[in-house]
Amino acid sequence: MGWYLGYTIIYFVLMFAVGFYYFTKVKTSDDYLIAGWNMGFWSIVGTKLSTSFGAAVFIGWVGMGFTVGLSGYFKFTLPTAIAGLLLIIFFAKSLRRQKLYTIADLFSERFGNATGIIPSILSAFIYSVPTTALQIIAMATLFQMTFKLDYKIGIFIAFALILGFTILGGLKATIVTDAFQSIVIVVGIIILFIASVIYGGGFKEIIKNTPSEYLSPTGPDGLNEVLLFALSVAPFYLIWQSTWQRIFAAKTEGIAKNAGIMAFAIGGVISFLPFAIGLTARKYVPLDMEPDLVFSYVTTELLPPAIGGIIIVALLSALMTGADSFILQGSSNLTQDLYYRLINPNADEKKMMLVSRLTVVIIAVLALIISYNLTGIIDIYQWALRISAAALVLPFLAVMFWRRTTKAGVIGSMLLATIATLIWPYLGISIDHTIFAFTVSLVSLVVISLLTKHSKTEQVRAVYWEDLDSAEKK
């Protein structure tokens, strides 16, 4: 335990030193929420890698590899990496030119301020709060497994550490520390993978003693399950605000695109390893173990403390960078989309900074409240992705390519797709929930847009080719 505690203390001392430094340097809400639109190539690569490797990777993906084998990579990680690459390759430059903060900002600028309310609420409360809670839960579980700390006390300590760092330095401190943390995370995953393979007797022995369905891309549940699961999570990564924030934070359009491609390419390769670790663990971990506990068990049981401590720090890095990014995502929604656009458009920098930090506290406290009630990391994460994607993906594509789409069409599509996703479990229909929700979104978007006229608040432009007024403001 001494090694684990020593590594952990050193890690948090360094993190808070950076946080305090940027607390003295960050003076504007632009710097705090979007890093001043001024981050370089490797900073963006590092922060994208770090943010992508949160609780879902270390805990959820190892657990998924344990339960369904390598098919987890093909049903979750590979489709989401492809979707993220599509966002970067096709949309990074046009989005970066608009000089916005959030996806809700895009809808507000295109259709008028009120239109951003729905995506802002979805992003802040349906996605940011529960995903922040997942990082808190994962950190508390780590404290429990490593330091034998009471779980509820661990939740509060995790909350305090995450909130403390985030409230100090904002996105600029997050991106700077992410560059270092991405290295720690990648090295940690590789070390744990090598140790797991060695402990399992080597590749030949593992393959020989693993049922073939766990080695197959289609897994024990078959191709249909893989495809439907992928469809339920991948579209979300076209509108994942953490990626959008990094696009907006980049110094240039070229950096936004090239750094994003590099990050998703590296992440797509490295993220195969957690599933392989979970698969290998089936050889020496009790098969009735809770999947979310496999990672901690493997780390503490397989590795000597001096090495295991590095893995613990890698997981802490993943959880911290995920949590502060998700909190700042929600904070951006509440500060920029709701407070600045709807409540006080004349707010000065002092008020914007105050509101930015206040909304960080709000998101974190809400995440703390629900942390005590959440179980099943992958299930919760999948539902957050499901609702957000159904409501926002097709309206986003319409904003980018279809000038004829109207304010009424977009709002109607968002509302109806959200309702369709929520009521699907009670309808008793055979059609898959994702297909059902996207069908409702598409039909309502097209029909309502064709039946209504553009409102006076709209900038009637296809943003992929035509810039909004915000591109000229800053």
Side-chain angles (χ1 to χ4, degrees), residues 203-214:
F203 289 111
K204 290 184 178 179
E205 186 68 19
I206 292 168
I207 293 173
K208 177 182 176 181
N209 292 284
T210 300
S212 59
E213 62 267 26
Y214 287 91

Side-chain angles (χ1 to χ4, degrees), residues 379-397:
D379 289 340
I380 297 297
Y381 193 62
Q382 187 183 11
W383 268 102
L385 270 55
R386 207 176 270 170
I387 295 172
S388 300
L392 299 179
V393 167
L394 293 179
F396 159 62
L397 294 176

Side-chain angles (χ1 to χ4, degrees), residues 299-322:
T299 300
T300 55
E301 295 296 324
L302 261 63
L303 300 174
I307 303 299
I310 297 174
I311 311 301
I312 297 300
V313 170
L315 176 55
L316 286 172
S317 297
L319 298 177
M320 282 293 290
T321 189

